[in-house]
């Protein structure tokens, strides 16, 4: 299927990125399911621009299959674009993630992704601006579709996911007590 898809469904805008759960960010570049030249800066540019757009529309949900690696990584990249350091973004995610050992596991299993987030921190302004200019047609499509927004990161086409079930389970999950940072 397409590596990225934007569809309007039941009053919401879903932006799906067909990204397998790679342990190494180096595997993103050159993966068969992604277009030639697709890179981590492209991924971060696309997702952070979508989140900026989506948050202006209202409630926004970012999710992947398990919420352990892909969606937290994208949220940390977005936090970096808001002036939060990669280190602080990682700690914020750890303090607010529903799994107590998330931070320990992310540091252990995704150290290479952390390095990429630190590199993104140094040039995120340039990456976001470049992506927004090069893919202006995509942003115009998002504006045309409007509505509430979901950023879904995972394998397969959006049609292969039960989007309503994913959204419902994420929204209705009882949150643990969280420290406001």
């Amino acid at each position: 299927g397409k590596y990225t898809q934007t569809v309007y469904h039941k009053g919401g805008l879903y932006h799906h990125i067909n990204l397998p759960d790679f342990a190494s960010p180096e595997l993103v570049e050159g993966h068969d399911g992604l277009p030639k030249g697709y890179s981590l800066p492209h991924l971060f540019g696309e997702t952070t621009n979508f989140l900026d757009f989506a948050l202006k529309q209202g409630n926004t949900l970012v999710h992947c299959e398990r919420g352990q690696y892909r969606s937290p990584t994208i949220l940390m990249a977005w936090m970096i674009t808001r002036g939060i350091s990669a280190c602080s973004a990682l700690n914020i995610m750890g303090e607010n993630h529903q799994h107590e050992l998330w931070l320990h596991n992310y540091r252990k299993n995704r150290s290479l992704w952390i390095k990429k987030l630190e590199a993104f921190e140094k040039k995120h302004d340039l990456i976001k601006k470049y992506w927004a200019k090069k893919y202006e047609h995509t942003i115009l499509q998002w504006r045309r579709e409007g509505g509430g927004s979901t950023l879904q990161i995972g394998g397969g086409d959006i049609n292969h996911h039960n989007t309503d079930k994913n959204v419902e389970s994420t929204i209705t999950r009882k949150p643990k007590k969280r420290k406001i940072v």
Side-chain angles (χ1 to χ4, degrees):
K2 292 170 66 174
Y3 84 97
T4 186
Q5 215 173 348
T6 303
V7 295
Y8 187 74
H9 175 71
K10 292 189 177 186
L13 184 64
Y14 294 85
H15 186 62
H16 175 255
I17 298 174
N18 183 5
L19 181 69
D21 190 9
F22 293 125
S24 171
E26 304 304 326
L27 296 174
V28 170
E29 298 172 15
H31 176 63
D32 290 342
L34 299 171
K36 187 175 182 174
Y38 195 87
S39 65
L40 215 50
H42 182 102
L43 172 70
F44 289 156
E46 179 177 2
T47 56
T48 57
N49 275 297
F50 180 79
L51 285 173
D52 284 344
F53 166 80
L55 288 166
K56 289 176 187 171
Q57 307 305 307
N59 292 336
T60 302
L61 172 67
V62 178
H63 74 92
C64 56
E65 190 172 330
R66 293 181 43 228
Q68 298 297 307
Y69 300 117
R70 290 171 288 186
S71 56
T73 300
I74 297 309
L75 288 171
M76 288 185 285
W78 180 81
M79 283 188 249
I80 288 168
T81 68
R82 310 301 334 128
I84 297 170
S85 71
C87 180
S88 293
L90 182 62
N91 288 325
I92 290 167
M93 288 300 301
E95 290 170 3
N96 292 287
H97 200 279
Q98 68 181 8
H99 298 290
E100 289 180 26
L101 295 176
W102 180 86
L103 183 58
H104 169 77
N105 290 335
Y106 193 92
R107 282 186 173 133
K108 178 182 170 190
N109 298 317
R110 293 300 194 260
S111 61
L112 296 174
W113 283 93
I114 294 170
K115 288 179 182 170
K116 292 295 185 176
L117 286 166
E118 290 167 346
F120 178 67
E121 181 179 353
K122 294 176 182 151
K123 21 183 199 178
H124 67 85
D125 284 334
L126 291 172
I127 292 169
K128 278 191 70 165
K129 286 176 187 172
Y130 171 81
W131 194 93
K133 184 174 174 125
K134 184 171 182 177
Y135 296 94
E136 184 178 8
H137 62 281
T138 302
I139 294 172
L140 291 173
Q141 178 189 359
W142 297 340
R143 287 187 183 137
R144 280 193 303 273
E145 300 294 340
S149 305
T150 298
L151 175 60
Q152 181 175 339
I153 306 160
D157 292 331
I158 196 167
N159 298 329
H160 294 156
H161 294 275
N162 185 338
T163 305
D164 295 330
K165 181 180 175 188
N166 288 342
V167 171
E168 182 180 333
S169 67
T170 304
I171 293 172
T172 59
R173 185 180 330 136
K174 287 186 177 179
K176 69 177 189 175
K177 289 186 179 182
R178 299 179 191 267
K179 179 180 172 185
I180 304 298
V181 181

